[in-house]
Amino acid sequence: MNTLEAIKTRRSTRKFKAQPVEIEKLKLIAEAGQFGPTGGNAQGNHFLVISDAAVIAKLKELVQSAFAAMELREDLYKSLKNSITLSRKGNYSFCYTAPVLIVVANKKEYGNNMADVACAVENMMLAANELDLGSCYINQLKWLNEDPTLLEYLRGLGLKEDERVYASVAIGYADTESGLPNRAETPRTGNEVVFV
Ligand SMILES: Cc1cc2nc3c(=O)[nH]c(=O)nc-3n(C[C@H](O)[C@H](O)[C@H](O)COP(=O)(O)O)c2cc1C
């Protein structure tokens, strides 16, 4: 698969098989993240590659509790409203059934934190596609990145005191008949381009 092909056929996967992902593939994906560009070559991204089912289950529990405690207001972002509603019903799995979650943190006080993390996440999603794995950008840990309970738990996993989570990515084999991720290209309806 060449780069343009990997870009155009990368689609979000939200249903995963329980099948574990080989460590060799996870190393290649994490490395693709490490090779992303960073502002001023800061290289301050910090990747927590989580494939321990108990840890993922605990994160799901903490995320659900945090959303369930939030006020549900009509003016909230649609996706956030959905997270709160499902969490209150005890029915929320922010990273779906993915067997792997890569959490990406960066320094809280660094101006390009989210940009550097997002570049790494896209690199990792493209690498996952190349390796026949499905992936999905997951934003919830960023929304909850000042939640004290989650912060304490993530610090136990290696998050540093001055870091916060800016994105995560769910990874695994797609729950499709072939086991391959959906790669159907969708036409662009936005993202306007002007050539001058
Ligand atoms: C910044 C950002 C945040 C996103 N957050 C989530 C998320 O929390 N959960 C989710 O299922 N998808 C999330 N997505 C995936 C988008 O919904 C998805 O990329 C978009 O609908 C286009 O579909 P495609 O990835 O299949 O092309 C996010 C994507 C981006 C770029």
Side-chain angles (χ1 to χ4, degrees), residues 7-195:
I7 290 170
K8 290 182 89 177
T9 62
R10 181 220 50 81
R11 299 292 313 283
S12 296
T13 293
R14 297 187 177 85
K15 281 188 183 158
F16 298 90
K17 291 186 172 167
Q19 185 181 342
V21 178
E22 299 83 345
I23 187 69
E24 294 73 23
K25 289 194 175 186
L26 291 179
K27 283 182 180 166
L28 288 171
I29 291 170
E31 190 180 44
Q34 288 181 299
F35 271 75
T38 54
N41 201 19
Q43 297 188 32
N45 288 329
H46 188 185
F47 302 87
L48 307 177
V49 183
I50 306 171
S51 47
D52 181 329
V55 172
I56 293 179
K58 184 70 185 174
L59 282 171
K60 285 182 184 175
E61 181 195 313
L62 296 177
V63 166
Q64 177 165 272
S65 302
F67 281 129
M70 279 185 189
E71 188 194 349
L72 184 59
R73 291 194 332 264
E74 266 318 298
D75 61 320
L76 292 177
Y77 177 52
K78 191 173 139 224
S79 184
L80 178 55
K81 270 199 292 196
N82 185 47
S83 301
I84 298 174
T85 307
L86 289 175
S87 293
R88 285 182 176 184
K89 290 181 186 154
N91 199 12
Y92 190 55
S93 181
F94 78 101
C95 54
Y96 311 105
T97 53
V100 179
L101 183 71
I102 304 184
V103 175
V104 195
N106 203 309
K107 299 273 184 266
K108 182 184 174 178
E109 302 302 338
Y110 165 61
N112 288 320
N113 44 29
M114 193 168 165
D116 287 2
V117 166
C119 286
V121 168
E122 176 68 349
N123 266 16
M124 293 194 288
M125 294 193 298
L126 294 177
N129 189 20
E130 161 85 35
L131 297 168
D132 289 339
L133 289 158
S135 68
C136 188
Y137 194 120
I138 300 288
N139 225 3
Q140 283 70 16
L141 292 176
K142 191 242 162 199
W143 297 341
L144 297 171
N145 74 3
E146 292 293 347
D147 180 273
T149 316
L150 265 162
L151 263 179
E152 192 190 338
Y153 186 67
L154 288 163
R155 283 180 182 142
L157 303 179
L159 186 80
K160 300 197 179 94
E161 203 62 34
D162 58 350
E163 293 176 338
R164 294 295 180 275
V165 174
Y166 292 99
S168 62
V169 57
I171 298 208
Y173 286 97
D175 190 7
T176 56
E177 226 169 66
S178 63
L180 295 173
N182 169 27
R183 288 179 168 136
E185 283 181 41
T186 53
R188 297 295 97 177
T189 52
N191 293 342
E192 189 182 348
V193 178
V194 175
F195 293 94

